[in-house]
């Protein structure tokens, strides 16, 4: 308790400017940020010293239509994140759904994070200098024309070590592709904005760093590039883990490899792998008795029933609260954000808002149960009379509380 009290003033300072809306990154220019260069970095390199610090926002991933601005207001969420699948980008990138949502969010005063997703997990990644690379960079230009100096953070890559082929990760082709994209973005920004651009640049998200065999020469090179490139302000991580303690290896790996002043994003994180381990458990005996269900009913069947015939809010809460694997981890969001903030290096973390359609489609014992993570139980619980979605047990209240400076 005493150590927690000592940490609170530090956490308060980190988030004080973030709770009133998009205040920190908005309007700051590169020229205003620069100080005398003592590191050998190019003079136009921006720093992250006064960038976003310890914010917690909402994440819609690939499904911008699944969340409303009314739901964000109820959460007191001032940040919003999503990703754009680059093959969807046409001449006017503002028409792409995720980008359009984030532009609307910006107009309404939210701070925003956009991740660029390059899906090359079923085909070779383009090589620098090839026609395929030129086509990809042309799409990047269309996005940059639309979002630079508007979105607060641009993450270069979504989950590159998942969205690529194993041979491209081993050969260095993955790194070469993303380094080329990053250098292109840096050059575009310098050409069109000089030293005045509000958009912070981060390298996109690393996965599976809790597994030693996933810390490879390719991930080392990813962080080496991040560290030595002065215009890049940090890296993103996506710790979807099977136990809370498995998030720490992510931080232990990335933080020593970032330069002083660089920060990290956590645009996705959850215990979804833990939830998946329990899908074939039998439901809690108390829950079975209370709702007159066969005692050998597996967890996944209850979730499937809630998808097909949404529960009352009380029944859904009972299901989660009576399941030890969930009840014992209902404050994962709260505890993990505090750990991120305590490093002093968190820029922004974002968390999934709603249960999207893809999460509930063909639900069964082998389905990854993303829907248990969400802040709203919009597909497993009946909506209220006014049509508003139910708050998911544990996570909703903690998310909202974390928007207050004292948390």
């Amino acid at each position: 308790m005493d150590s927690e009290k000592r940490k609170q003033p530090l956490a308060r300072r980190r988030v004080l400017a973030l709770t009133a809306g998009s205040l920190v990154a908005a309007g700051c220019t590169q020229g205003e940020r620069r100080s005398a260069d003592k590191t050998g970095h190019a003079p136009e390199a921006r720093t992250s010293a006064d960038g976003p610090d310890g914010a917690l926002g909402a994440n819609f991933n690939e499904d911008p239509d699944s969340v409303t601005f009314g739901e964000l207001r109820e959460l007191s969420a001032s940040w919003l994140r999503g990703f754009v699948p680059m093959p969807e980008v046409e001449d006017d990138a503002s028409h792409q759904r995720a980008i359009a949502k984030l532009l609307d969010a910006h107009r309404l005063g939210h701070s925003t994070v956009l991740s660029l997703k390059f899906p090359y997990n079923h085909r070779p990644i383009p090589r620098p200098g090839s026609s395929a690379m030129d086509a990809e960079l042309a799409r990047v230009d269309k996005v940059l024309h639309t979002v630079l100096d508007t979105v607060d953070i641009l993450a270069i890559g979504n989950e590159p070590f998942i969205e690529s082929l194993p041979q491209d990760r081993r050969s260095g082709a993955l790194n070469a592709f993303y380094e080329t994209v990053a250098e292109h973005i840096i050059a575009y920004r310098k050409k069109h904005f000089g030293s005045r651009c509000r958009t912070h640049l981060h390298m996109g998200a690393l996965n599976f760093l809790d597994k030693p065999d996933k810390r490879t020469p390719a991930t080392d090179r990813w962080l080496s590039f991040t560290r030595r490139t002065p215009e890049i302000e940090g890296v993103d991580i996506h710790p979807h883990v099977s136990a809370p303690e498995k998030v720490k290896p992510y931080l232990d790996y990335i933080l020593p490899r970032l330069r002083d002043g660089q920060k990290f994003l956590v645009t996705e994180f959850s215990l979804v792998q833990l939830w998946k381990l329990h899908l074939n458990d039998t439901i809690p005996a108390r829950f079975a008795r209370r709702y007159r269900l066969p005692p050998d009913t597996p967890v996944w069947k209850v979730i499937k029933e809630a998808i097909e015939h949404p529960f009352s809010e009380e029944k859904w809460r009972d299901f989660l609260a009576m399941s030890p694997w969930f009840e014992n981890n209902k404050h994962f969001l709260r505890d993990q954000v505090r750990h991120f903030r305590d490093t002093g290096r968190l820029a922004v973390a974002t968390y999934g808002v709603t249960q999207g359609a893809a999460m509930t489609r063909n639900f069964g014992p082998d389905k990854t149960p993303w829907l248990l993570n969400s802040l709203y139980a919009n597909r497993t619980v009946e909506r209220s009379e006014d049509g508003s979605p139910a708050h998911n047990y544990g996570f909703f209240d903690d998310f909202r509380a974390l928007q207050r400076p004292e948390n």
Side-chain angles (χ1 to χ4, degrees):
M1 177 64 73
D2 290 341
S3 62
E4 183 173 341
K5 287 181 179 177
R6 286 196 297 270
K7 292 174 184 175
Q8 283 180 354
L10 182 59
R12 178 182 177 86
R13 289 197 298 273
R14 287 180 191 141
V15 298
L16 187 59
L18 298 169
T19 56
S22 53
L23 299 177
V24 178
C28 297
T29 67
Q30 228 173 344
E32 292 164 346
R33 290 189 182 94
R34 287 204 308 273
S35 58
D37 182 46
K38 299 177 182 178
T39 63
H41 293 161
E44 67 272 13
R46 66 189 298 169
T47 70
S48 56
D50 60 350
D53 188 17
L56 174 63
N59 173 37
F60 62 72
N61 269 334
E62 79 282 7
D63 194 3
D65 300 328
S66 68
V67 60
T68 69
F69 290 111
E71 290 162 356
L72 296 182
R73 284 193 298 272
E74 190 177 11
L75 285 162
S76 302
S78 59
W79 282 80
L80 184 63
R81 180 260 179 181
F83 67 70
V84 51
M86 293 303 291
E88 294 183 8
V89 174
E90 299 181 353
D91 286 341
D92 187 349
S94 67
H95 292 162
Q96 198 281 330
R97 294 187 309 133
I99 292 174
K101 186 78 168 193
L102 292 177
L103 294 176
D104 287 343
H106 170 77
R107 285 189 284 269
L108 291 172
H110 292 273
S111 297
T112 54
V113 182
L114 176 65
S115 301
L116 306 180
K117 176 175 180 172
F118 299 92
Y120 282 98
N121 47 324
H122 298 297
R123 55 189 172 129
I125 205 162
R127 272 49 176 176
S130 67
S131 58
M133 188 83 224
D134 292 343
E136 203 65 82
L137 294 177
R139 279 190 286 270
V140 170
D141 284 350
K142 292 168 186 175
V143 174
L144 298 179
H145 175 76
T146 302
V147 307
L148 268 193
D149 208 35
T150 298
V151 300
D152 295 274
I153 295 174
L154 185 68
I156 302 167
N158 177 53
E159 293 182 333
F161 286 82
I162 292 176
E163 296 155 359
S164 58
L165 296 174
Q167 57 265 36
D168 284 342
R169 298 194 288 272
R170 290 191 298 266
S171 70
L174 166 73
N175 297 87
F177 172 83
Y178 281 95
E179 289 166 10
T180 300
V181 171
E183 289 163 352
H184 181 85
I185 290 171
I186 291 165
Y188 183 104
R189 187 177 69 170
K190 182 178 179 181
K191 176 181 178 181
H192 292 277
F193 293 93
S195 63
R196 302 177 63 85
C197 184
R198 64 186 285 167
T199 302
H200 301 257
L201 303 179
H202 283 66
M203 294 304 290
L206 300 175
N207 298 83
F208 305 127
L209 294 180
D210 54 314
K211 303 178 187 300
D213 64 331
K214 298 299 184 181
R215 297 176 226 141
T216 66
T219 58
D220 286 346
R221 177 174 166 179
W222 193 270
L223 286 162
S224 176
F225 175 80
T226 299
R227 180 186 179 94
R228 72 173 185 267
T229 307
E231 298 86 355
I232 300 296
E233 298 188 38
V235 71
D236 191 5
I237 55 173
H238 283 184
H240 294 295
V241 294
S242 59
E245 61 269 21
K246 292 192 174 183
V247 178
K248 187 175 181 294
Y250 281 77
L251 301 178
D252 291 344
Y253 181 73
I254 68 164
L255 289 179
R257 290 170 170 80
L258 296 177
R259 67 177 182 267
D260 289 346
Q262 283 186 314
K263 295 182 179 178
F264 64 96
L265 306 175
V266 195
T267 54
E268 296 182 29
F269 63 105
S270 77
L271 285 176
V272 71
Q273 300 304 328
L274 175 61
W275 313 148
K276 190 170 184 177
L277 291 175
H278 292 281
L279 286 182
N280 285 294
D281 290 2
T282 55
I283 57 175
R286 277 201 304 152
F287 184 78
R289 287 194 301 270
R290 180 171 296 181
Y291 293 97
R292 299 180 181 179
L293 296 171
D296 60 348
T297 303
V299 165
W300 71 266
K301 279 195 174 181
V302 170
I303 298 173
K304 183 177 176 66
E305 175 65 19
I307 293 168
E308 295 173 351
H309 306 284
F311 290 177
S312 67
E313 190 166 3
E314 179 184 12
K315 184 176 180 180
W316 181 251
R317 181 187 181 94
D318 283 347
F319 166 60
L320 297 178
M322 292 178 186
S323 299
W325 48 269
F326 192 94
E327 177 65 17
N328 294 340
N329 294 286
K330 66 182 177 182
H331 294 303
F332 170 77
L333 168 62
R334 179 198 68 189
D335 297 343
Q336 199 55 62
V337 170
R338 288 177 176 174
H339 291 323
F340 293 146
R341 287 174 174 170
D342 285 344
T343 67
R345 306 287 293 278
L346 173 67
V348 182
T350 62
Y351 197 81
V353 183
T354 56
Q355 298 169 332
M359 299 178 187
T360 59
R361 193 175 299 122
N362 301 318
F363 198 89
D366 299 318
K367 181 86 168 181
T368 303
W370 297 103
L371 58 84
L372 295 179
N373 295 330
S374 61
L375 300 173
Y376 286 100
N378 53 299
R379 292 180 182 270
T380 55
V381 176
E382 298 168 335
R383 290 181 176 259
S384 64
E385 291 183 2
D386 66 2
S388 59
H391 303 167
N392 208 10
Y393 176 55
F395 298 146
F396 183 97
D397 291 340
D398 283 353
F399 181 97
R400 191 159 56 179
L402 286 162
Q403 304 302 315
R404 297 195 295 267
E406 65 271 19
N407 292 295

